[in-house]
């Protein structure tokens, strides 16, 4: 997991499958077979693109057992099927599933979201992620500390099991506009010392975003690093001192909207969180662009409501 990450969104994968549509239709597959669970989204995309029926295989990593897990009957021997998986990795999943289908007399072609330099085989259709770690939207939690610890434990301890995906949710939150009111920027220009003293005297909002703070790891703020001492004092005073405080380094990111958003996106990825709550809607859009698999929520403190943000380039 020390490789640079290539995030692949649902939209990117859908467009990639659509670009393959003429070739996939020409193959005339009897059905598309997704390996549960990572191969299921791709199998459904291919099914919609080609009109072929969709079926599934269930693979047990510990025993390397493959089972047909579908209401559709297995195609007759000699039929051609397309097996879909998210990654052609160094493990045995894809190899074992191909062998299972060939043992039943089927012609097998393969499609994976990505392959890399550790892959046991190169699929017929795949995105080259050699030298990178391909991260899929259904495994956005893979970079949290708890997920990685459980993954190692499951692979080395008998009886150890992964938790459900949603249990790995980890939050980071913005500070101003989330825990306390924003001071208008003009106030800082008019009287910096007075504005800072006014900010220090503010009390937290009566209602903050409806998350359990035990699932929050960090406060990621656009405040500059030189404000750390007084910011930490405010957090300690109001019961938020247990959260890691990540502040902007002016030499790396300026105080502009895009500079602050770039800082927050990079810090959220570095902290290994799955969700980030931001008070400024424009910054939320930029953060979503820069960290496409991060769940970015714009929190409107006045309306006391949150909006999930997605941002893709257009034009």
């Amino acid at each position: 997991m020390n490789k640079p990450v290539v995030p692949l969104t649902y939209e990117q994968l859908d467009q990639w499958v659509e670009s393959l549509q003429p070739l996939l239709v020409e193959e005339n597959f009897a059905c598309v077979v997704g390996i549960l669970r990572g191969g299921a989204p791709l199998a459904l995309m291919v099914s919609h693109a080609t009109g072929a029926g969709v079926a599934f295989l269930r693979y047990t990593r510990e025993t390397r057992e493959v089972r047909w897990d579908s209401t559709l009957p297995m195609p007759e021997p000699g039929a051609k099927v397309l097996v879909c998986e998210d990654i052609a990795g160094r493990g045995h999943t894809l190899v074992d599933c191909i062998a299972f289908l060939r043992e039943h007399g089927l012609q097998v072609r393969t499609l994976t979201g990505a392959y890399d330099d550790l892959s046991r085989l190169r699929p017929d259709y795949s995105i080259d992620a050699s030298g990178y770690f391909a991260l899929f939207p259904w495994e956005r939690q893979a970079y949290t500390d708890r997920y990685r610890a459980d993954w190692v434990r499951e692979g080395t301890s008998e009886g150890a099991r992964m938790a459900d995906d949603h249990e790995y949710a980890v939050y980071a939150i913005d500070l101003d506009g989330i825990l306390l009111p924003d001071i208008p920027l003009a106030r800082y220009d008019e009287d910096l010392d007075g504005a800072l003293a006014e900010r220090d005297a503010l009390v937290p909002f009566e209602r903050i975003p409806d998350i359990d703070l035990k699932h929050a790891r960090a406060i990621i703020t656009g405040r500059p690093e030189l404000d750390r001492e007084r910011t930490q004092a405010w957090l300690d005073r109001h019961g938020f001192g247990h959260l890691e405080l990540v502040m902007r380094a002016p030499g790396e990111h300026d105080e502009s909207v895009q500079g602050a958003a770039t800082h927050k996106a990079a810090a959220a990825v570095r902290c290994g969180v799955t969700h980030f709550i931001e008070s400024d809607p424009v910054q939320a859009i930029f953060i979503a662009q820069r960290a496409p698999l991060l769940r970015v929520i714009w929190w409107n403190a006045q309306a006391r409501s949150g909006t999930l943000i997605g941002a893709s380039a257009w034009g």
Side-chain angles (χ1 to χ4, degrees):
M1 289 206 180
N2 293 322
K3 296 179 180 179
V5 176
V6 175
L8 296 170
T9 66
Y10 281 109
E11 183 178 22
Q12 289 170 325
L13 291 167
D14 179 65
Q15 290 176 343
W16 172 64
V17 168
E18 189 63 25
S19 74
L20 297 174
Q21 193 254 3
L23 295 173
L24 297 173
V25 169
E26 189 177 342
E27 295 258 29
N28 194 28
F29 296 114
C31 75
V32 182
V33 184
I35 302 173
L36 295 171
R37 290 182 303 171
L42 288 165
L44 290 169
M45 290 177 188
V46 173
S47 176
H48 284 294
T50 63
V54 62
F56 302 100
L57 294 177
R58 188 171 296 278
Y59 184 76
T60 305
R61 203 160 49 119
E62 295 77 15
T63 62
R64 297 179 62 177
E65 178 190 9
V66 183
R67 290 185 291 117
W68 185 262
D69 190 355
S70 178
T71 56
L72 286 181
M74 189 177 293
E76 295 294 323
K80 188 185 343 179
V81 299
L82 180 69
V83 176
C84 297
E85 174 66 317
D86 49 8
I87 183 76
R90 60 183 178 181
H92 299 281
T93 303
L94 191 57
V95 172
D96 289 348
C97 288
I98 292 170
F100 171 83
L101 294 171
R102 285 178 175 165
E103 286 170 5
H104 286 80
L106 299 175
Q107 300 180 51
V108 181
R109 300 275 279 169
T110 52
L111 178 146
T112 68
Y115 72 93
D116 59 26
D117 44 315
L118 299 178
S119 298
R120 282 183 175 271
L121 58 84
R122 179 164 177 174
D124 298 299
Y125 302 97
S126 191
I127 296 170
D128 184 357
S130 299
Y132 294 87
F133 181 87
L135 189 62
F136 298 94
W138 46 87
E139 58 178 17
R140 66 184 76 239
Q141 68 281 355
Y143 261 57
T144 65
D145 291 340
R146 183 185 168 199
Y147 183 95
R148 286 184 286 183
D150 284 358
W151 178 265
V152 172
R153 187 166 56 87
E154 186 189 45
T156 57
S157 304
E158 187 175 346
R161 297 182 64 236
M162 301 292 291
D164 293 332
D165 291 350
H166 67 272
E167 296 183 46
Y168 294 104
V170 182
Y171 287 77
I173 59 176
D174 185 18
L175 177 56
D176 299 291
I178 301 295
L179 296 182
L180 73 164
D182 267 311
I183 297 289
L185 294 177
R187 197 88 50 85
Y188 293 97
D189 296 332
E190 296 165 359
D191 179 7
L192 178 59
D193 290 337
L196 291 175
E198 180 182 348
R199 190 185 69 187
D200 290 344
L202 290 171
V203 296
F205 283 121
E206 290 185 7
R207 180 181 171 187
I208 62 175
D210 188 19
I211 63 169
D212 188 339
L213 287 182
K214 72 180 181 182
H215 296 303
R217 172 171 177 174
I219 292 172
I220 301 175
T221 175
R223 293 186 187 184
E225 186 63 46
L226 59 84
D227 273 356
R228 176 172 292 277
E229 184 175 347
R230 67 195 311 155
T231 300
Q232 188 65 58
W234 186 94
L235 294 170
D236 292 341
R237 189 160 59 247
H238 294 289
F240 303 110
H242 62 289
L243 297 172
E244 179 184 355
L245 176 61
V246 183
M247 308 191 76
R248 178 175 57 84
E252 297 178 14
H253 302 103
D254 62 30
E255 62 184 3
S256 68
V257 170
Q258 292 198 39
T262 301
H263 149 67
K264 291 174 182 177
V269 172
R270 194 166 58 248
C271 286
V273 301
T274 57
H275 296 66
F276 184 71
I277 302 177
E278 167 60 42
S279 65
D280 180 78
V282 178
Q283 284 194 47
I285 291 171
F286 285 127
I287 294 167
Q289 284 181 336
R290 285 158 176 73
L293 296 189
L294 182 68
R295 296 288 196 194
V296 180
I297 299 100
W298 165 50
W299 176 253
N300 184 334
Q302 290 184 328
R304 296 182 175 180
S305 65
T307 302
L308 188 65
I309 301 294
S312 297
W314 177 70

